[in-house]
Amino acid sequence: MTVTAPLPVVAGARREPGRAASSAEEGETAPELTRAVGRYLDHLVVERGLAQNTVSAYRRDLRRYLDHLTATAPQLRVPRDITTDHVRAFVRVLREGDAEHPALSARSSARVLAAVRGAHAFWATESTVDTDVASRVSPPTPPQRLPKAIGVTEVENLLAAPDPETPAGLRARAFLELLYATGARISEAVALDVDDLAGLHDEDLALLRVTGKGDKQRLVPVGSYAVSALDRYMVRARPELARHGRGSPAVFLNARGTRISRQTAWTMVKDAARSIHQEERITPHTLRHSFATHLLEGGADLRVVQELLGHASLATTQIYTRVSVESLREVYATSHPRAR
């Protein structure tokens, strides 16, 4: 059984040699608070099976929480002593910063609060506390960022960037065409198997099977440009890449004949973006945003776009309607003679 490393003791006042530690000594976290956090971290590892990097992040965030409680409310000895006001005060410090820490963004503060809320919920479950005081503290709301879409001409330039005479270029062209044609997430495109392409040669409508979050599958139509690019890759490039491997079912293979990684996929997009001098603006997700935005600007129904993107909630898709409105405003402001 893997158990998390203990939390380090907060640096505090020096004790005289041979003197026993006192739980009330100034500058030291109360032992029971440290043990309570340790139990929660062990729960994350043993029962929930979280990745070590995730647990390490939780440990750092909870260490900062205990440091704050020790510095601002040294009378707190056990989790039951902590109130909602203590948690809210901690969130304020996260947002405003202090002598040792810079102010955090709303997103980063929400991440730290998630660790704190998780610990308090765990203590309530194991009856260490009577009520979950952190559940009443809402995380800071991050500013809503509009997805960054690029224009149709920029998309066409990007898709034409890879070299069509090399296996790597054919693979990159097919990958980019597929991202824009389907709005697939980069992880979804990387995970495609050859069997998922079975519907591409349907006489009525080419369809691609995409497996999204939660292993939910959806069928997405694929345009003729992407179908042609995939055909060229499958016929001229994939067999050459596959002969170095052991029969991988993946559509997109690396030089060893195995499935490409997310990093390789990211590099393909960035290399194409760099060749058209747009490396700072374009990411794999840019093509997904552009797919949705261009559909809506072309008159597509919002719920259809939701289905194509694999969004569980329509609210997630609605952000693209704001992108389209912003585009309309920009066109109006620059085109109408009496707009200003």
Side-chain angles (χ1 to χ4, degrees):
M1 181 177 71
T2 303
V3 180
T4 61
L7 287 167
V9 176
V10 181
R14 295 177 178 270
R15 292 196 304 270
E16 296 176 6
R19 177 185 168 191
S22 167
S23 62
E25 188 167 9
E26 182 180 357
E28 290 189 359
T29 299
E32 182 51 38
L33 288 177
T34 300
R35 285 193 290 267
V37 169
R39 290 196 302 274
Y40 173 57
L41 295 173
D42 287 342
H43 162 76
L44 295 180
V45 173
V46 178
E47 298 184 35
R48 293 185 54 187
L50 296 189
Q52 190 58 48
N53 286 344
T54 303
V55 176
S56 295
Y58 272 59
R59 181 183 293 110
R60 287 193 300 271
D61 294 339
L62 290 170
R63 176 70 275 165
R64 180 171 178 180
Y65 181 49
L66 292 189
D67 287 351
H68 168 80
L69 293 177
T70 301
T72 60
Q75 74 279 7
L76 301 180
R77 313 314 316 156
V78 295
R80 187 174 284 105
D81 294 338
I82 303 172
T83 67
T84 300
D85 287 340
H86 290 127
V87 180
R88 288 194 176 119
F90 177 59
V91 174
R92 283 196 298 273
V93 170
L94 291 177
R95 296 291 284 128
E96 297 170 1
D98 56 27
E100 296 183 5
H101 303 93
L104 295 182
S105 66
R107 195 176 303 275
S108 296
S109 298
R111 188 208 71 229
V112 177
L113 180 59
V116 173
R117 292 180 65 174
H120 278 278
F122 171 75
W123 296 333
T125 300
E126 66 167 10
S127 300
T128 299
V129 297
D130 299 323
T131 58
D132 179 1
V133 295
S135 64
R136 307 169 196 167
V137 181
S138 300
T141 303
Q144 193 171 34
R145 297 177 181 176
L146 292 177
K148 297 179 180 178
I150 57 178
V152 175
T153 299
E154 289 176 296
V155 170
E156 292 174 345
N157 292 338
L158 180 74
L159 300 183
D163 183 357
E165 301 303 321
T166 66
L170 288 168
R171 181 189 64 186
R173 176 64 181 265
F175 191 82
L176 294 171
E177 287 275 9
L178 185 140
L179 288 180
Y180 179 60
T182 65
R185 301 175 178 93
I186 188 171
S187 58
E188 295 171 343
V190 166
L192 284 173
D193 289 338
V194 174
D195 288 346
D196 296 323
L197 308 183
L200 286 189
H201 300 289
D202 189 288
E203 293 182 359
D204 297 323
L205 180 65
L207 292 172
L208 180 73
R209 183 173 62 203
V210 178
T211 302
K213 294 182 178 179
D215 289 331
K216 293 181 179 179
Q217 293 187 337
R218 65 186 188 276
L219 293 176
V220 183
V222 184
S224 60
Y225 288 93
V227 171
S228 296
L230 281 166
D231 276 342
R232 289 193 296 271
Y233 163 71
M234 296 296 290
V235 173
R236 295 169 52 191
R238 190 180 182 279
E240 173 65 20
L241 297 170
R243 72 183 183 87
H244 299 290
R246 299 181 179 180
S248 171
V251 172
F252 296 104
L253 302 177
N254 58 28
R256 298 184 302 278
T258 60
R259 189 184 304 275
I260 63 171
S261 65
R262 286 171 56 93
Q263 183 59 44
T264 298
W266 181 276
T267 300
M268 285 193 290
V269 177
K270 297 305 285 186
D271 284 347
R274 189 176 299 110
S275 69
I276 63 170
H277 310 291
Q278 295 291 339
E279 61 268 32
E280 298 300 323
R281 293 184 59 205
I282 297 176
T283 71
H285 230 60
T286 303
L287 288 173
R288 179 171 166 87
H289 296 326
S290 302
F291 164 84
T293 302
H294 296 167
L295 278 175
L296 289 169
E297 290 178 344
D301 182 84
L302 188 62
R303 290 197 177 276
V304 172
V305 177
Q306 176 193 2
E307 182 66 25
L308 293 174
L309 291 174
H311 285 160
S313 169
L314 185 63
T316 307
T317 315
Q318 284 175 329
I319 189 172
Y320 293 102
T321 63
R322 293 184 57 195
V323 177
S324 296
V325 170
E326 291 299 319
S327 177
L328 289 175
R329 287 174 177 165
E330 181 178 349
V331 170
Y332 180 84
T334 57
S335 304
H336 195 281
R338 299 180 71 85
R340 297 182 182 277

